[in-house]
Structures are given as structure tokens and as C-alpha cells.
Amino acid sequence: MKLAVIEGDGIGREVIPVAVKVLDAFGLEIEKVPLELGYARWERTGAAMSDQDIETIKGCDAVLFGAVTTVPDPSYKSVLLTIRKELDLYANIRPVKPLPGVTGVTGRSDFDFIIVRENTEGLYSGIEEIGPDLSWTKRVVTRKGSERIAEYACKLAKKRKNNLTIVHKSNVLKSDKLFLDVCRQTASAHGVEYSDILVDSMAYSLMMHPERYDVVVTTNLFGDILSDMCASLVGSLGLVPSANIGEKYAFFEPVHGSAPDIAGKGISNPLAAILCVKMLMEWMGQSRSLLIDEAIVDVLQKKIITPDLGGTASTTEVGNAIEKYIRDALG
Ligand code: IPM
Ligand code: MG
């Protein structure tokens, strides 16, 4: 197994080295291929990544990614979006699950759901024109794109509570009618119980009744927005991991960004990146990934936590404690 490791910018450079040490503690046969991509490289060389980098990544099986600063400069091409497209990582999987002893804005911990975000089309089509008086972006919904994300979500629902929520805005965006219809048909074909809800109602409902949801499937931008919002249910953006999955490749990244405001201070929360390692190991079929959950419970109980969770520990201190727990457990 070959793993591309991309720290990226800002706190990506702090949390990924910690996550890699945790992965190393398992002693798996993984060849790591470090790549330096992102905004810092763009500033230095004028290119955030090259075609050669894409080829290198395609020569790997999976990617562990920190965060890359994305800027609106027309000459800056987002590394993240380019990789998602090039590797056809169509399913963005974002679990929203409380961690023991940590509560978010609502103070509750009775929820456990997964956002399945379509990752290749919608308002992220990249088809747009920017002018001084008129700018537009084309929202693309295809049958094929909707079918494969609906399939993914239904298969996931079958392994869980068999309950699918389809999130859309088809009352205004008629393009969402296709997405909704395909999701309904796919759910029926799989025998998955489903309901649908408009994205604005869903935002409200997720805050009021997060316990109602199991698997939530939605289009690209809605999934992007709802997943950040749901991080507030968990308690910190520093706690939510994500996986971008395609037919061939998988790519793991924390939901948080590069956080330039706290970068370099050594206080970023590494747990989201460490949970990405857990998702990577699950994708590899490694059941020992469960040890990561145990180790996280341990540091939370001992209050070895970063300032976003009210603690005083540094990124490395949290990482070291988790690594030690795993090494001790493995003997
Ligand atoms: C995410 C991020 C990205 C997105 C940005 C950085 C391009 O917000 O992974 O959620 O919008 O998908
Ligand atoms: Mg986002």
C-alpha cells in the first residue's frame, strides 16, 4: 500500500506529522510518499501543484491530506478540487458523532449520523464566467453523478439504521429535481427507508433534532455547508474527519481548513487528522483502527486536550499521548 502524504499549508503542517506518527505506531506495511503542495508553494513557484504531482498521486493508493489555503486569485487552482476531480473521488463521507465528554453548541450527545456529499458536480462544476458586471457558475446535476452517490449512501444506510435523508432545494433549484428523483428511486430499489427535506429546513432540524438522522445524502455545496455546521454539534471543527472515496482511490482530510490565524502556535487540535487515519485504516480493512477510538477516549478523560476544547495541551502533546496509548496496547 502506497500513501501520498500532503501536509499542505497552515495547521496542515502541524496535524499531519502527528497523524502520521499515530499511523506508524500500528507498524503497517505502508510506503509513504511525501508531497509539498499548496498555497505556500504557489507563492514561491507560481504553481500550487504540477501535472507530475498528479501522476505521483495516481501512483499511490490513498492520500492523507492536511489542509491547503484556497484563495480567489484567478491564477490559483485549488489543489483539493483538482485532486478530487483527477482521482474522481465522488463520495465525500463526513461522520458526525459526539466524542465522550465533549459536547457542542446544543449540549447533546445522542446523535450519530453521516453526511454523504456528492463531490464532483453541483455548484463545484468549475463552469463559470467572471466579469465586472455579470458572473455566473453553472450548477450541474447528472443522472450518473446522482446515481453513484445515491448508491453509496444506500449501501452505507444498509449497514447502519437503514434510514436515508435526501437533502435538496428542488422548490427553487429545478436541477435538484433530478437529484431528488434519482435518490428516491435508488433508495426504493435498495429497500432503504427514506425521506427528503429542503436544505434550509434541514439546517434547522439538524440543530434541533440531530438524533433523527442516520445517513444524509446531498449535493456538493449543501454538503460542504452542512458539514461545517454539524462540526458545531460535535464541539469543534478540530474533531471532524472526512474521506473522499472513488472507485480506485481514497483521500482522507480533516473537515477543517488551514486556519492561518492559529497556524504556527502549536495549538491546533490533531484529533480530526488522527480520526482521518482511523478512516484510512477502515478503508484498508484494518480492524485495529478501533484502538484509535480507545486512545482518543483516554486523552479526553485525562484532559490532554487543545485550547479549542478548553485544555492547555499542545498539538504534539495530544499526539504523543495517543501514540503512546496505541504502542502500549499493541505491546
Ligand atoms: C471542504 C473545503 C473545500 C470545499 C474547499 C477548501 C475547496 O471547504 O473540504 O469542505 O469546499 O470542498
Ligand atoms: Mg468545507
Side-chain angles (χ1 to χ4, degrees):
M1 143 86 182
K2 234 169 146 176
L3 178 71
V5 178
I6 303 171
E7 293 178 3
D9 301 306
I11 62 167
R13 298 192 194 185
E14 298 168 29
V15 296
I16 291 300
V18 165
V20 166
K21 279 177 79 184
V22 170
L23 177 62
D24 286 346
F26 287 92
L28 301 169
E29 291 252 334
I30 296 181
E31 182 191 338
K32 292 188 286 290
V33 181
L35 282 167
E36 197 226 323
L37 309 177
Y39 179 72
R41 167 152 159 204
W42 177 76
E43 275 195 316
R44 227 183 38 247
T45 68
M49 75 188 293
S50 65
D51 292 348
Q52 179 52 49
D53 295 321
I54 291 284
E55 288 317 306
T56 308
I57 294 170
K58 285 185 175 165
C60 297
D61 303 287
V63 182
L64 181 62
F65 184 91
V68 157
T69 305
T70 303
V71 288
D73 189 302
S75 73
Y76 185 84
K77 224 171 134 201
S78 163
V79 168
L80 188 53
L81 299 183
T82 308
I83 298 177
R84 282 183 189 159
K85 205 170 214 134
E86 286 287 335
L87 305 190
D88 198 24
L89 303 166
Y90 67 91
N92 195 326
I93 311 305
R94 300 189 153 175
V96 184
K97 198 178 163 177
L99 289 172
V102 185
T103 47
V105 284
T106 59
R108 44 198 301 176
S109 49
D110 57 346
F111 57 89
D112 175 1
F113 61 93
I114 299 189
I115 298 178
V116 176
R117 163 185 175 193
E118 200 293 320
N119 219 17
T120 57
E121 46 188 47
L123 268 167
Y124 282 63
S125 67
I127 308 170
E128 51 191 11
E129 244 175 63
I130 312 302
D133 302 313
L134 172 69
S135 291
W136 54 262
T137 301
K138 192 167 183 172
R139 185 172 194 270
V140 176
V141 177
T142 66
R143 176 169 294 278
K144 180 181 164 238
S146 305
E147 264 167 12
R148 61 181 184 171
I149 198 68
E151 281 283 330
Y152 194 102
C154 288
K155 284 186 183 143
L156 191 59
K158 289 236 123 184
K159 287 192 227 149
R160 295 171 51 95
K161 295 186 200 141
N162 201 38
N163 186 296
L164 181 73
T165 308
I166 308 160
V167 178
H168 61 100
K169 186 75 184 177
S170 69
N171 56 341
V172 176
L173 303 171
K174 300 294 186 290
S175 51
D176 253 2
K177 186 73 174 60
L178 177 58
F179 179 76
L180 174 59
D181 287 346
V182 169
C183 287
R184 281 177 171 155
Q185 284 155 12
T186 313
S188 297
H190 282 274
V192 170
E193 274 174 41
Y194 66 90
S195 59
D196 72 273
I197 180 167
L198 296 171
V199 64
D200 45 348
S201 303
M202 183 61 169
Y204 181 73
S205 184
L206 278 168
M207 286 292 127
M208 301 301 283
H209 299 290
E211 81 289 356
R212 285 188 186 162
Y213 299 101
D214 179 26
V215 176
V216 174
V217 68
T218 190
T219 52
N220 211 336
L221 183 64
F222 298 160
D224 178 43
I225 297 169
L226 291 181
S227 56
D228 268 33
M229 190 192 76
C230 289
S232 72
L233 285 171
V234 180
S236 166
L237 256 181
L239 297 175
V240 250
S242 76
N244 298 257
I245 310 280
E247 290 303 332
K248 193 163 171 212
Y249 302 101
F251 176 108
F252 302 85
E253 52 154 343
V255 171
H256 66 70
S258 60
D261 52 328
I262 57 160
K265 296 187 181 159
I267 55 165
S268 53
N269 191 339
L271 294 183
I274 291 170
L275 284 165
C276 286
V277 168
K278 183 187 165 213
M279 291 185 92
L280 163 71
M281 289 177 65
E282 277 166 3
W283 178 78
M284 291 167 68
Q286 282 285 342
S287 55
R288 279 187 296 169
S289 64
L290 288 172
L291 260 184
I292 294 184
D293 284 332
E294 279 180 32
I296 290 180
V297 171
D298 185 60
V299 294
L300 291 173
Q301 266 166 2
K302 293 182 178 148
K303 297 274 176 241
I304 307 174
I305 47 179
T306 43
D308 56 311
L309 298 180
T312 54
S314 69
T315 312
T316 345
E317 280 164 354
V318 176
N320 288 345
I322 290 188
E323 188 194 345
K324 181 172 182 315
Y325 184 97
I326 292 168
R327 287 196 188 274
D328 288 351
L330 292 172

